[in-house]
Amino acid sequence: MSDTTSTNISVAQANSIDSVQTGSVRQSNLTRSNTTKKLCFYKSGDPRFSGIKMVVTNRSFKTFDALLDSLSKKVPLPFGVRNITTPRGIHHVTNLEELEDGKSYICSQQKKVKPINLERANKKPLRWQSSRPLSSRRRAVHEAKLTEFGSFQRENTVVIGNSKKLVVLKNGDTEFKHNIFINKKSMQSFDDFLEEITEALQYPVFKLYSTDGRRIPSIRALLLSSGTIVAAGREPFKPANYETEREFLPAKLPGITNRVIPKARLKPELKSPGKWSVSIITSEVAFAGTTSQVYITFYGHRKASEPVFLYSDEEDTFQSGHEDTFMINIGDVGEVYKIRIGHSNSGEFPAWHCEQVKLLNIFSNEQFIINVNRWLAQDQDDGEICREFPVTLHSHSQLPVTNYEIRVVTGDLWNAGTEANVYIAIHGEYGDTGSRQLVRTNKPKRFVKGQTDTFTLEAVHLGSLHTVIVGHDGLGTGNGWYLEKIIVYDPVKDKEYAFFCHRWLDEGEDDGKIARLVFIADETDFPARQELELKRKEIWHSEKWKYQKGNLLQFYCKATGKFIRLTPDSKVDALGEKKDKYGVFDILVKRGNVRIFNSHEIKALALAIDKGKVTAMDNSGILCELCVHLQHNRCVTLESTRVPGLTVSFERNGEAADGYTDNYAGISKEFVVHVKGIFQDEAIILLTTSWSQALCIKNEGLCSGAGKQTPDSHWRVHKISPTVCMFESVTHPKMYLCIKNGQCHGKGTGDDYCHFTVEKNMDTGSVILESVRNKGIYIGLLPNGNAVPVVHTGEKNMIFYPKVIKFGRKPPAGSSVTPSKKREEISKHDGELVKIQGPLAQSPSVSPPLSQTEPIKEEIRVHTPNSHEWKVSVLTGSVGTLANVTLWVYGSRGTCGPITLREDNLEQPFQPQQEDQFMVKLPNIGKIYKIRIGHDGTSDRPEWELKWVILEKMKNGKTHYFEVNRWLSRNRDCEIVCEVPVTENGTFVYPVVKYLISVYTESFEQAGTNAPVYICIYGEIGDTGKRLLLKSDFPHKFQPGQVDVFEIEAVSLGKLQKVLLVCEANHKSQYWHCKKVIIREQGKNSEYIFNCERWLPFMSQSVLHSEIELEVEDMQIATEERKWNEEHVLQQRGSCDVLPRSEYTTAVSEITAEIAEATCNRHRKAERVHARRKNWETRPAEGDWTITIVTGNFQEAATEATVFIYVYGEGADSGPILLGSGGHQLFNINSADAFQVNLKHLGKPYKIRIGHDNSGENSEWYLESIRLQNLSSNEDFYLPVNRWLGEEKDDGATWIELAVPAVGNHALPLVDYEIHVYTGSVSSAGSESTVFIKLFGTRGDSGKRKLHKSQNQTIKFQKGQVDIFRIQAISLGFLQKIQISQDGLEQGDGWLLEKIIVHYTESESDHKVLFPCNRLLHENQENGKTEMELFPCEQQKSEQGANEEKRWLIQVKTAKDSSELKNMKVYFVLYGSEGKTGEIPLMPQSPDAECFLPGAEDQFNLYSIY
């Protein structure tokens, strides 16, 4: 084999999309230059990757994204290729034109790139680093060497070998394995090995474990390992059977077939530990004998035996009253601790009553007698056909026999149930239960859709459970089962184990398996929360289509029965009507489930959350970014990404609610999302019946709601009337959904039997379909999914959730523009139609103004246009576009725009040589003086040749003709936006000028950016609109110390006033530091200077801003000297008249840099004056403080979380001060971030509290120190911290308090508060929710702290349990009250809190404070809150003696003639010589019990300290 590295060479060929094209389009494609580039692509940070050579042409890859998708298939990156850079990682490639022939590039999956050495990349990779599997010959040679070394090591002391064969398993998945050889000499570092494992498994690996869960932290530990390792991400280790030599999941579960193959008899051998004599005594009761095949299984401490079938030459074995003896050999299983005996339930009489089992070990002569006396029959006793019995040995205690309670939840999908026999095998610490059939349930029918079946399974106790194998014998498509989850309750440990499946067990669904291995839910997190996240992902997968760009949304508030609207006065309420134009929102997709909802009517405004309330703001701000959270009922909550926890909410009167309020009664936070234009004519939709199913036509023409959400379930909508539609199958044309002859099927022919009235439900976002021909008959579904005619009973089987695949020919209602190409459509307004004699002839060439054409002949005009209605006519030249076209109209009183002239119609506008007409509404903007028209450059046809635009006022026929005659295309070095002024008397009212824009980037490192930069120039006469700064005189724009010159053409703005500068950076590495902007109008002798001198984006008042307005400087610098120098240099080079234009432009560009240096001295004086004025304006005010936060200087010290700080003073506290997020260039490694705050009304500070919200992927933060500086009094406090703030670090705290030393006084001490939390002992008293506590004292409060790590319990807040937590806080003085709360996610997350006792030591005295509770924290119980305040039972005192806890028994007897009151609350106060307890509610011992009934006597427990 050659030592040279082989390289993959591929030439990608794109398939033709359009097989038939017009002649003009073909000619355009042939004349396009077909550049061929030979390129080589390497992998980021991997010098051993040999590289991929590719030939790239404009035919092989139409777009840059197509190239990324092709490279993702060739370069092994876990998340695909998302970024391409030069080899040193300096320049990022963003389009195909930037690729250079013969060059090499690096592919990465993120913005951060690891450069590589190309010389090293061409070398052959080492064997252990290669992901290519070894051949059988090479593996045999290597294993022989390992055997040789292994024998030497066994005879001597342990020696670490140089090489090792490893079996790598994925965490929690034993079926996913990979073999790899490692070599100690060639292995560079442990991190390199983790990267290699990541590539081999295509799964991000951060940690390695041994099979028993021990962490492998280094190469040395790796070489000393057993040879089998478990690769994990950031999640904890998941216990499983990682023994590679043992198959864990059989092809079929035992017991599925009626025939069990017995194990072959073994020849007589010498004595061995595996030889046993087994005697079985069958009872003498009637019909005790069996004809079935009996087997026995032994479980030892080494392993379990296979089931051994007991055969005999006699025919009357296992008959009533008989004793049968068998000699068996089970192998060396170790010390036996249990057996399982059972039968195969075969033969004519399978039932069997076993009396006794005798076991004799031939090797050790140990004998065991097990009394059974039980039926093993499906129609007797508990229905079990096998039994387990513990075996008592001298070295181990006997395991108990346990009745496990198994709750099996069938999914709520159509046809999810099964009639097959279901089997289960539970695996735990002490073996397994074997395969058991689930027979007897508490329901009349087993495994029905949406049902929970409860079974009892008797077995010897298994210890801690870890896996479940479940399966059934339903063979064939459609006979499967959808299993949601299994809950196993262990009464010995009083513990529940959750096993989440959420998969089909069906040969026709999913992966076709009918048996699955299910692992226990992650016990480090609450199972309820894990299941909630699973369901949210399923619902998001079904509903995310609504939140795509281009959809129009309405948000329905069920509390008010109205829609959210954003009015022109920037007010947001929930009082909009269905057809309110201010209640329609556009969508801007940001990332993941984060969206910006722009008002469709007022384009510049969007929904935002500011100061705790929903409001309207400029749509470019980060406060407009809202996180969409879907609920189980398909409603959504909109949460602020800036301040997590704050959501869009409204009062019952429709007004915006305060997000900081503690009173949630009457506040609506969930909304139903409605998409406009779902049932438009020719739309293609899905009628979904669940999150993964939809209504479809089966092969025989019948309809089913259990179909997959695939093209087979697509329906084409045919609009009959505003509320009546027909639905035609897309995959089966001419087959319509219909109800006829008492059946619902898809064999309709399009007659009135196929007409359905679509009834929309605003509260759910669903629809029901009523037959027009058969009034009162609807389409419904049976549990198996079959569609049938039903009457309206309010059941959920009638509900469908429409999902749009493709919108119809009309734009969604609420659009401000109605495109058309026919006079009939132009004349439509508010449902009134103007009858036209003939269609409008489309102009094939440039047409004169509309006033010169022949008048329109009308028969009847039923609508009189108002003064706001205008008709826009647009003529396209030889090349059309599919991009989105927008129009702005400028008048003397204002501006209207952007107006979208491009909608998703079947008849496409802006085709070559085509005239398109639109009806628009323009407000009273005064006398029109210019328009701006352009497109967004999207689609595969972004070029556009525009001829002219005509505006015609419909009321009086007044016309403005705008001749354009230009290209709008970036491919032709042109802008995609142009401005045209109004013409009066043959001349422009304002001239068209060119603005030369010089953009200065600061010279220090990392000041440059590759992000898009936009500018909008404002003047006395309007603005230019936001323009992309695209073409600079340098090949790479915005580099450090560089001056980029751009040119913008626009209608003259007069005297310039300000500019808007925008940098759309997606990552902090793209932040840009702009020094200033200088603008000069071509041909004028003045220039405008706009100083910036700051980062973009920048943080202001805890909000990230990506744009900034720059005001013009006070003076304009004369440029006569510049003009003279230009002419002087040009005269030296030759006459200006004889210079070619290209040389003239080059000369002017060279002079620009020289003149900038020459005039620099002139600016310095003005800049010094500006600096002095700026310093005066920024003088510190009273109470201004600077807070400097220093982050540690080592790896992983930085955080991505959002950081807050509280400052406590003698007069008040500051409340939460948001410092910012680590995701926005804050709190980086070894950084000092300074913030200025005003603490005027606080007085002298005595403590601070700082922490974060634990958000982001890397939330842990190492805080080194904090410095407080009073800018007005020069006070300076340095507070060292030097500790982690993170749930996975140290004590798990995310907040810390620090004392601020006072002048002349000692700082307050830091006190450890030990909190003992007592959970009630009644049934269902425990909770799996997250619990928070807040201590209040005479010196302030501790802040809301999460009770994260219990010091004495593994699982917190269980029934009858005491949990101990410790929090640190600056001394609070005497405790006055505590606030306790939980975040219960489901109705079952109620928590019965008995009491809380706080222990702490201060001033050498021990204190103990009791806070009694005896209340249930549940949103549906008691006061409906999951948060309450508790008060101490008496005044606090030291524990120097008789400070003891007393338990009181209170008996209350109600009189017989007392009236029976429901939901009555009774409180009790105990008074003593030193204080009182406060009001204590007397609650029943269980949630279902009732107290204070007539004649009843109730007992309650009370705790106090005296």
Side-chain angles (χ1 to χ4, degrees), residues 403-407 487-491 494-497:
N403 284 317
Y404 288 99
E405 181 184 281
I406 303 173
R407 297 195 295 274
I487 305 296
V488 180
Y489 172 69
D490 181 355
D494 191 19
K495 180 179 180 180
E496 285 187 348
Y497 298 88

Side-chain angles (χ1 to χ4, degrees), residues 554-556 560-565 573-580 582-583:
Q554 288 182 297
F555 297 95
Y556 179 77
T560 63
K562 304 289 185 179
F563 292 84
I564 298 177
R565 64 179 179 180
D573 58 33
L575 298 174
E577 299 295 335
K578 173 67 176 174
K579 295 186 178 181
D580 192 336
Y582 296 112

Side-chain angles (χ1 to χ4, degrees), residues 914-980:
Q914 177 175 294
E915 179 183 346
D916 301 287
Q917 297 176 336
F918 307 86
M919 292 297 299
V920 301
K921 289 184 178 180
L922 300 181
N924 186 11
I925 58 175
K927 185 178 181 181
I928 296 175
Y929 65 86
K930 78 170 180 178
I931 65 168
R932 183 188 312 119
I933 189 169
H935 62 82
D936 59 2
T938 59
S939 81
D940 55 351
R941 288 170 55 187
E943 293 190 339
W944 187 28
E945 185 184 13
L946 177 60
K947 290 297 185 180
W948 48 251
V949 179
I950 297 176
L951 295 182
E952 180 184 1
K953 195 169 187 177
M954 300 303 295
K955 185 173 184 179
N956 55 19
K958 183 178 180 181
T959 303
H960 294 288
Y961 176 73
F962 300 91
E963 186 173 358
V964 183
N965 288 324
R966 65 177 296 172
W967 285 91
L968 300 180
S969 169
R970 288 175 179 159
N971 294 336
R972 299 174 180 267
D973 293 334
C974 305
E975 289 193 79
I976 57 175
V977 176
C978 69
E979 290 190 356
V980 186

